[in-house]
Amino acid sequence: MTETHSDQTALVLFSGGQDSATCLAWALARYARVETIGFEYGQRHAIELDCREKLLDGFRAINPEWAAKLGDSHTLSIPTLSAISDTALTRDVEIAMGADGLPNTFVPGRNLIFLTFAAALAYRRGIADIVGGMCETDYSGYPDCRDDTIKALQNAISLGMARDVTLHTPLMWLDKAATWQLAHDLGGAALVDLIREHSHTCYLGERGARHDWGYGCGECPACALRAKGWREYQVRAG
């Protein structure tokens, strides 16, 4: 929590979800300026993108220093990803486990594409630090969330662009309870409440049902992980 880059800019992959919101706070605590990038790729839960402005407004209200640091917010449309995918995140099908042992919510290549597009934008804007919410502790088993994948991609991007690029994954070794705790450490109860109320996790795009941990169907894998993490966070917090 002590490492700072007071003269640098970071680009945060900001979907509007719990993890990306926590990563945004992490970056704001370390960098002089922080830009955000989100992706519209035909996801069923595209409502997550609509949550970003309320979250950003909340960040500005919580901390004046954060408000001063927040820079441009970018949205890139990648409809081809949906066109070539046959998954429960890009099709109206039931969420289930596949024969390969992965849930059919896995969108092949998604994080590889996101990080590559983010790096291309960062190149143009002179940014060398990119922050993503990938995690292989409490997750659905997606291979493009693994630390080895991110390290390999960092090397490939740096080589391919002839410029050192660092991919930061502050949540990589945290479970969801620890992610809630990190949000509290960074922004107190105000940030935890903001994430509960305005971030979106549910794969089905459900915003009707309100739970202790926020909005969602309460049954999909993303909701289950978020709910479990919230319960464990509450226990650890006493």
Side-chain angles (χ1 to χ4, degrees), residues 1 21-22 25-26 29 58-59 62-63 66 180-195:
M1 299 289 290
T22 305
W26 182 91
F59 272 89
I62 287 172
N63 189 327
W66 289 356
W180 283 111
Q181 183 61 54
L182 178 58
H184 187 275
D185 294 343
L186 292 165
L191 180 58
V192 172
D193 289 344
L194 176 70
I195 291 173

Side-chain angles (χ1 to χ4, degrees), residues 14 28 42 55 58-59 85 89-90 93 115 148 170 183 213 219 221 228:
F14 185 53
L28 286 166
L55 285 168
F59 272 89
S85 300
L89 287 196
T90 55
V93 297
L115 287 167
D148 285 347
W213 42 266
E219 298 179 1
K228 176 176 176 288

Side-chain angles (χ1 to χ4, degrees), residues 127-159:
I127 299 172
D129 294 87
I130 300 170
V131 184
M134 297 78 184
C135 168
E136 67 166 271
T137 305
D138 266 356
Y139 78 133
S140 297
Y142 300 162
D144 60 354
C145 288
R146 295 179 303 192
D147 188 53
D148 285 347
T149 301
I150 303 304
K151 286 178 178 176
L153 186 61
Q154 173 179 286
N155 188 47
I157 289 173
S158 296
L159 287 171

Side-chain angles (χ1 to χ4, degrees), residues 42-222:
Q43 63 267 50
R44 289 172 68 178
H45 57 302
I47 193 170
E48 66 178 355
L49 300 176
D50 297 332
C51 294
R52 292 177 302 165
E53 281 306 314
K54 288 184 178 180
L55 285 168
L56 289 172
D57 287 344
F59 272 89
R60 295 184 183 100
I62 287 172
N63 189 327
E65 291 186 4
W66 289 356
K69 290 181 176 184
L70 277 169
D72 292 349
S73 175
H74 311 272
T75 302
L76 299 185
S77 179
I78 315 177
T80 305
L81 185 56
S82 175
I84 64 175
S85 300
D86 185 15
T87 79
L89 287 196
T90 55
R91 299 283 189 274
D92 187 11
V93 297
E94 183 179 355
I95 295 174
M97 291 299 295
D100 57 0
L102 289 174
N104 64 351
T105 51
F106 173 55
V107 182
R110 181 177 60 166
N111 284 336
L112 307 181
I113 292 168
F114 285 179
L115 287 167
T116 301
F117 270 80
L121 177 67
Y123 184 97
R124 177 169 65 85
R125 300 185 68 77
I127 299 172
D129 294 87
I130 300 170
V131 184
M134 297 78 184
C135 168
E136 67 166 271
T137 305
D138 266 356
Y139 78 133
S140 297
Y142 300 162
D144 60 354
C145 288
R146 295 179 303 192
D147 188 53
D148 285 347
T149 301
I150 303 304
K151 286 178 178 176
L153 186 61
Q154 173 179 286
N155 188 47
I157 289 173
S158 296
L159 287 171
M161 295 190 175
R163 179 180 297 182
D164 287 339
V165 174
T166 303
L167 304 181
H168 300 274
T169 53
L171 310 184
M172 181 59 72
W173 307 115
L174 302 184
D175 61 20
K176 282 292 183 285
T179 299
W180 283 111
Q181 183 61 54
L182 178 58
H184 187 275
D185 294 343
L186 292 165
L191 180 58
V192 172
D193 289 344
L194 176 70
I195 291 173
R196 287 171 68 197
E197 190 67 26
H198 293 299
S199 70
H200 184 82
T201 296
C202 178
Y203 285 155
L204 302 184
E206 173 63 55
R207 295 289 297 174
R210 176 65 160 80
H211 308 272
D212 289 346
W213 42 266
Y215 292 88
C217 71
E219 298 179 1
C220 73

